[in-house]
């Protein structure tokens, strides 16, 4: 137990230092600037590893020894630049406390919801095969373009293997929190201090359990930083470094998860206002950065095209016909998937359960056939009908928590401030803040009508909109810096204690109740051959088929978990019309019309 615990902690520290090292490389040789916030350096380290993962996977599998070599390079660079962390001296106590609590929070018996469903299988695919043409035909879930999964693939290492992957998001979270701690303690602008403090506290309030950290947390955090930097840009005399970081983080958030495009209205307003500066001062002087982003974009859409036949799956108009691209997903399947995802984001699951009087979400199909409930396409066509079910999702609790905390936060600041004779910023900055609010409002509307789920961009755009409104009002107040600092430290201390308690108390309870199957590693489902799965060989490729994985099954469908890839539901076998190997690459063809029927009958399997 002690040895395994030490291995897990060493793994997290190794991942953290290695990621920081790649962030230093990115900062020095691509951004070409050594003044970055160390928290942002760590986050950009993940970005560079994302690029490396996608690039290499076109040609080779990401085996554990290759990964170890890659991360070791970053580890050496990180150690050589560890002096950069001297910038945290203003909050040395919190830095040490956060490090300890985050490390202890990594001990969890549970994995997050989608981990065994498709995150771990995808990582196993990365580690066992180079890119597969038509991967979509095995499972839609494997090709949504969740960038975090490509990053995870690099952290599968010898000895520990995939056991530490569920703890990896804590490293990203750590750098995110450090970024805003530095912005809070180093900023001289009260308005930006308030924004930084609010984001730190709302993070501890909303994102406080490691077991809930899936692939949606990273783009959410990236969007928080993106919006903050747009604000900061106008307070720091149009800083050119901030200007290029803004376009970088917009791109980063979108490739981490395409749903981040809900921030597009804000980005377009900012870009149009500053387009002259981008082209005259930034684009020419930062050719290296924009060349890197261009190459990354080409790799990203090429990966999508190879695995699905679409540039952005499952957006139908970006997809090519399967008659011309043999491995592409058939158009009718893509349309069905697109309608389903849109309907799910608009609470179709809750609608179908209530209107169909279902015991669980898996029993929907007969009710659609009997016209008792609407199909996803019919549901979407009803436009705002879904508003009736908006508050059925637990998401709204978190939305209310944000609003309530924002009110409490603003009242606390109001009572320690006094009326200010002069505004704390110029009229020009005030106008720019209004434009930012305008952009955020349009982003909220874009989010609301396309994918109204808080974890898909809702937290950053709604949270920052509220706090900027509050901050704009509080800018008319005068603050004693020492009083503000005392109140802030009190808030932060409670936030850290709350976060630590939620995670450590849960892990301690699991340990005391013997809930760990193999402490400190998270529990994984056990698979028994010829009971939970069976295997078949297609042209030299062994495929694992999960049994009892359809919507007639009374419980939730079984998952591939840690079975070797390719792995899919036995019912989905009809989606593999042919499989062959050409020039060392696997091609999977789907031209069977029965695949669409199987998909319609088993929405939650795919």
């Amino acid at each position: 137990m002690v040895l395994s615990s030490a291995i897990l902690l060493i793994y997290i520290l190794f991942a953290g230092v290695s990621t920081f090292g790649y962030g230093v490389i990115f900062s020095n040789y691509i951004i070409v600037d050594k003044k970055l916030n160390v928290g942002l350096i760590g986050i950009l380290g993940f970005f560079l590893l994302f690029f490396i993962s996608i690039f290499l996977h076109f040609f080779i599998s990401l085996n554990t020894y290759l990964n170890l070599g890659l991360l070791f390079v970053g580890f050496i660079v990180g150690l050589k630049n560890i002096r950069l962390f001297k910038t945290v001296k203003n909050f040395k106590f919190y830095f040490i406390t956060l490090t300890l609590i985050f490390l202890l929070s990594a001990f969890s018996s549970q994995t997050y919801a989608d981990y065994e469903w498709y995150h771990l299988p995808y990582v196993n695919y990365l580690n066992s095969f180079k890119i597969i043409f038509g991967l979509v035909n095995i499972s839609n879930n494997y090709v949504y373009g969740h960038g975090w999964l490509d990053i995870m693939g690099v952290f599968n290492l010898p000895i520990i293997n995939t056991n530490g992957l569920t703890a990896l998001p804590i490293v990203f979270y750590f750098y995110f929190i450090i970024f805003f701690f530095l912005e809070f303690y180093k900023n001289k602008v009260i308005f930006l201090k308030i924004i930084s403090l609010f984001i730190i506290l709302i993070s501890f309030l909303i994102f406080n359990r490691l077991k809930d950290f899936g692939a949606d947390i990273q783009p959410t955090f990236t969007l928080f930083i993106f919006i903050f930097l747009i604000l900061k840009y106008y307070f720091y005399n149009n800083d050119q470094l901030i200007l290029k970081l803004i376009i970088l983080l917009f791109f980063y958030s979108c490739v981490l998860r395409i749903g981040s495009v809900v921030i597009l209205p804000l980005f377009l307003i900012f870009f149009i206002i500053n387009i002259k500066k981008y082209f005259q001062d930034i684009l020419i002087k930062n050719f290296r950065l924009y060349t890197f982003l261009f190459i990354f974009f080409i790799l990203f859409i090429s990966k999508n095209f190879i695995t699905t036949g679409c540039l952005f799956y499952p957006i139908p108009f970006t997809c090519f016909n399967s008659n011309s691209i043999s491995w592409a997903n058939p158009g009718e399947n893509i349309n069905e998937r697109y309608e389903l995802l849109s309907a799910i984001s608009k609470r179709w699951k809750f609608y179908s359960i209530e209107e169909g009087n279902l015991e669980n979400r898996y029993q929907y199909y007969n009710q659609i056939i009997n016209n008792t409930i609407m199909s996803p396409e019919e549901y979407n066509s009803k436009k705002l009908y879904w508003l009736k079910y908006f508050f059925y999702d637990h998401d709204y609790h978190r939305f209310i928590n944000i609003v309530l905390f924002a009110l409490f936060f603003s009242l606390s600041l109001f009572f320690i401030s006094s009326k200010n004779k002069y505004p704390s910023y110029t009229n020009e900055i005030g106008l720019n803040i209004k434009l930012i609010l305008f952009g955020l409002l349009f982003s909220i509307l874009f989010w609301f009508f396309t994918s109204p789920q808080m974890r898909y961009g809702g937290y950053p755009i709604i949270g920052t909109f509220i706090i900027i409104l509050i901050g704009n009002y509080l800018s008319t107040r005068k603050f004693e810096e020492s009083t503000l600092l005392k109140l802030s430290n009190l808030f932060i201390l409670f936030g850290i204690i709350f976060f630590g308690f939620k995670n450590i108390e849960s892990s301690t309870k699991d340990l005391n109740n013997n809930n760990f199957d193999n402490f400190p590693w998270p529990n994984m489902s056990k698979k028994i051959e010829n009971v939970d799965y069976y295997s078949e060989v297609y042209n030299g490729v062994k495929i694992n088929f999960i049994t009892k994985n359809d919507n007639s099954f009374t419980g939730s469908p079984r998952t591939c978990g840690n079975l070797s890839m390719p792995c899919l539901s036995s019912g989905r076998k009809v989606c593999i019309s042919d499989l062959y190997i050409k020039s060392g690459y696997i091609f999977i063809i789907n031209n069977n019309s029965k695949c669409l029927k199987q998909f319609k009958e088993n929405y939650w399997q795919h």
Side-chain angles (χ1 to χ4, degrees):
M1 180 184 292
V2 174
L3 178 60
S4 297
S5 299
I7 290 173
L8 175 58
L9 295 177
I10 291 170
Y11 171 80
I12 296 171
L13 291 170
F14 177 73
V17 175
S18 180
T19 304
F20 182 74
Y22 274 101
V24 170
I25 294 171
F26 191 83
S27 174
N28 291 350
Y29 298 102
I30 298 177
I31 296 181
V32 195
D33 198 300
K34 299 182 179 181
K35 299 182 296 183
L36 288 185
N37 178 313
V38 294
L40 187 56
I41 290 175
I43 287 174
L44 292 177
F46 281 108
F47 184 49
L48 183 54
L49 284 169
F50 184 10
F51 173 87
I52 293 170
S53 173
I54 288 184
F55 175 76
L56 290 178
H57 195 235
F58 277 96
F59 311 104
I60 55 176
S61 62
L62 304 178
N63 67 75
T64 57
Y65 292 100
L66 171 65
N67 292 343
L68 181 60
L70 286 172
L71 294 183
F72 187 73
V73 171
F75 182 74
I76 296 302
V77 175
L79 285 181
K80 286 185 176 180
N81 290 273
I82 207 74
R83 67 185 184 280
L84 295 176
F85 277 93
K86 65 184 180 182
T87 54
V88 304
K89 61 184 179 181
N90 289 336
F91 57 97
K92 187 177 180 180
F93 167 77
Y94 288 131
F95 178 80
I96 295 172
T97 304
L98 278 169
T99 302
L100 292 174
I101 288 179
F102 276 36
L103 285 172
L104 292 174
S105 297
F107 294 86
S108 175
S109 67
Q110 301 178 47
T111 61
Y112 50 82
D114 295 326
Y115 183 68
E116 289 196 58
W117 189 252
Y118 63 95
H119 291 196
L120 179 57
Y122 184 85
V123 170
N124 287 333
Y125 149 67
L126 293 178
N127 299 148
S128 303
F129 301 91
K130 54 187 175 183
I131 196 166
I132 292 178
F133 287 72
L135 180 67
V136 66
N137 297 313
I138 296 179
S139 174
N140 293 277
N141 291 324
Y142 298 153
V143 294
Y144 283 148
H146 299 327
W148 182 247
L149 307 189
D150 290 287
I151 294 171
M152 285 170 63
V154 181
F155 288 87
N156 181 1
L157 302 180
I159 300 176
I160 195 170
N161 298 312
T162 58
N163 286 320
L165 293 183
T166 55
L168 192 60
I170 206 77
V171 179
F172 197 101
Y173 192 14
F174 175 78
Y175 283 124
F176 168 78
I177 292 294
I178 294 303
F179 172 85
F180 280 105
F181 261 98
L182 280 169
E183 292 296 335
F184 174 76
Y185 281 101
K186 294 183 70 177
N187 243 308
K188 300 300 181 184
V189 180
I190 295 294
F191 183 87
L192 294 178
K193 277 183 174 290
I194 291 173
I195 302 297
S196 301
L197 179 62
F198 177 81
I199 293 175
I200 291 170
L201 298 175
I202 205 68
S203 298
F204 286 142
L205 177 66
I206 301 296
F207 312 108
N208 51 52
R209 295 193 302 177
L210 177 63
K211 65 181 181 181
D212 293 335
F213 283 19
D216 51 292
I217 295 296
Q218 299 77 25
T220 294
F221 289 162
T222 306
L223 285 177
F224 269 119
I225 298 174
F226 165 80
I227 297 168
F228 176 82
L229 288 179
I230 287 182
L231 280 171
K232 186 176 179 179
Y233 176 73
Y234 292 114
F235 283 94
Y236 280 77
N237 298 318
N238 301 330
D239 187 296
Q240 300 302 302
L241 172 61
I242 298 176
L243 196 62
K244 59 185 176 183
L245 285 175
I246 288 169
I247 198 168
L248 168 62
L249 289 171
F250 172 74
F251 178 83
Y252 189 5
S253 63
C254 289
V255 293
L256 277 173
R257 193 180 193 112
I258 194 63
S260 299
V261 77
V262 293
I263 203 66
L264 183 62
L266 173 62
F267 175 74
L268 286 177
I269 289 173
F270 179 82
F271 184 79
I272 292 169
I273 292 172
N274 296 281
I275 192 167
K276 184 177 180 181
K277 293 174 184 175
Y278 267 117
F279 282 98
Q280 288 185 350
D281 302 327
I282 299 298
L283 193 59
I284 296 173
K285 294 179 182 178
N286 293 278
F287 179 77
R288 191 179 300 180
L289 171 63
Y290 291 102
T291 300
F292 174 85
L293 293 180
F294 177 75
I295 294 172
F296 200 145
F297 178 72
I298 295 300
L299 290 176
F300 182 77
I301 61 173
S302 297
K303 172 200 162 193
N304 284 321
F305 175 70
I306 289 172
T307 56
T308 69
C310 302
L311 300 182
F312 298 100
Y313 184 80
I315 303 175
F317 72 84
T318 71
C319 299
F320 293 83
N321 195 302
S322 58
N323 292 328
S324 55
I325 306 296
S326 62
W327 70 84
N329 204 19
E332 60 271 20
N333 293 23
I334 295 168
N335 289 331
E336 188 69 26
R337 191 64 184 177
Y338 177 79
E339 294 291 348
L340 174 64
L341 291 179
S342 179
I344 289 174
S345 72
K346 295 171 182 174
R347 317 304 192 262
W348 182 79
K349 179 183 79 171
F350 302 100
Y351 153 77
S352 62
I353 290 174
E354 177 164 296
E355 296 299 323
N357 195 26
L358 310 180
E359 292 182 8
N360 60 58
R361 62 178 178 170
Y362 307 105
Q363 300 172 346
Y364 66 88
Y365 185 69
N366 288 334
Q367 303 290 46
I368 292 179
I369 297 300
N370 297 331
N371 294 318
T372 304
I373 61 174
M374 292 181 282
S375 69
E377 184 176 6
E378 292 169 331
Y379 184 78
N380 290 332
S381 69
K382 292 291 185 178
K383 303 304 178 185
L384 296 179
Y385 176 79
W386 63 271
L387 286 174
K388 178 180 177 181
Y389 302 94
F390 182 79
F391 291 106
Y392 281 57
D393 196 315
H394 70 276
D395 255 3
Y396 89 91
H397 291 295
R398 293 179 176 178
F399 171 75
I400 291 174
N401 285 343
I402 290 176
V403 174
L404 292 177
F405 178 75
L407 292 173
F408 173 72
F409 180 74
S410 58
L411 286 174
S412 301
L413 294 177
F414 178 84
F415 286 123
I416 66 163
S417 62
S418 58
K419 184 68 177 177
N420 196 2
K421 293 182 179 180
Y422 307 101
S424 60
Y425 46 71
T426 65
N427 290 335
E428 182 181 358
I429 291 177
L431 176 61
N432 288 322
I433 288 175
K434 290 176 182 177
L435 287 173
I436 292 171
L437 287 169
F438 184 71
L440 280 172
L441 180 60
F442 271 90
S443 291
I444 291 171
L445 292 173
F446 186 23
W447 166 83
F448 187 78
F449 288 107
T450 56
S451 184
Q453 291 178 296
M454 291 298 290
R455 63 195 182 106
Y456 298 151
Y459 294 120
I461 58 177
I462 294 175
T464 52
F465 180 80
I466 292 171
I467 194 56
I468 291 171
L469 280 176
I470 292 170
N472 201 38
Y473 169 73
L474 291 174
S475 66
T476 63
R477 311 286 297 177
K478 182 179 180 181
F479 292 88
E480 291 292 336
E481 191 165 343
S482 59
T483 305
L484 176 62
L485 187 59
K486 288 177 183 177
L487 179 63
S488 301
N489 284 332
L490 185 63
F491 271 132
I492 290 170
L493 187 60
F494 275 111
I496 292 174
I497 292 172
F498 178 72
F499 177 87
F501 176 79
K502 292 282 284 188
N503 285 278
I504 299 172
E505 187 265 346
S506 176
S507 299
T508 303
K509 185 182 295 184
D510 284 343
L511 183 60
N512 291 336
N513 294 333
N514 297 314
N515 290 335
F516 278 93
D517 291 340
N518 185 26
F519 184 85
W521 315 118
N523 301 334
M524 298 291 296
S525 61
K526 306 296 191 297
K527 309 295 181 186
I528 302 174
E529 191 169 5
N530 297 323
V531 176
D532 300 303
Y533 74 98
Y534 64 92
S535 303
E536 291 184 1
V537 177
Y538 287 65
N539 290 329
V541 179
K542 179 183 176 182
I543 300 180
N544 289 315
F545 292 97
I546 299 295
T547 58
K548 296 183 180 179
N549 196 13
D550 55 55
N551 286 340
S552 63
F553 185 55
T554 55
S556 60
R558 297 184 182 182
T559 64
C560 285
N562 207 22
L563 286 177
S564 60
M565 287 284 283
C567 177
L568 63 156
S569 160
S570 57
R572 195 170 165 81
K573 186 190 294 189
V574 296
C575 300
I576 301 180
S577 304
D578 191 17
L579 184 152
Y580 61 89
I581 300 175
K582 183 177 181 181
S583 301
Y585 289 93
I586 295 175
F587 288 76
I588 301 174
I589 313 302
N590 174 16
N591 52 29
N592 190 342
S593 60
K594 292 181 180 179
C595 180
L596 176 61
K597 182 177 184 298
Q598 198 272 343
F599 176 33
K600 288 182 176 181
E601 294 175 351
N602 300 276
Y603 281 146
W604 304 108
Q605 173 196 104
H606 294 246

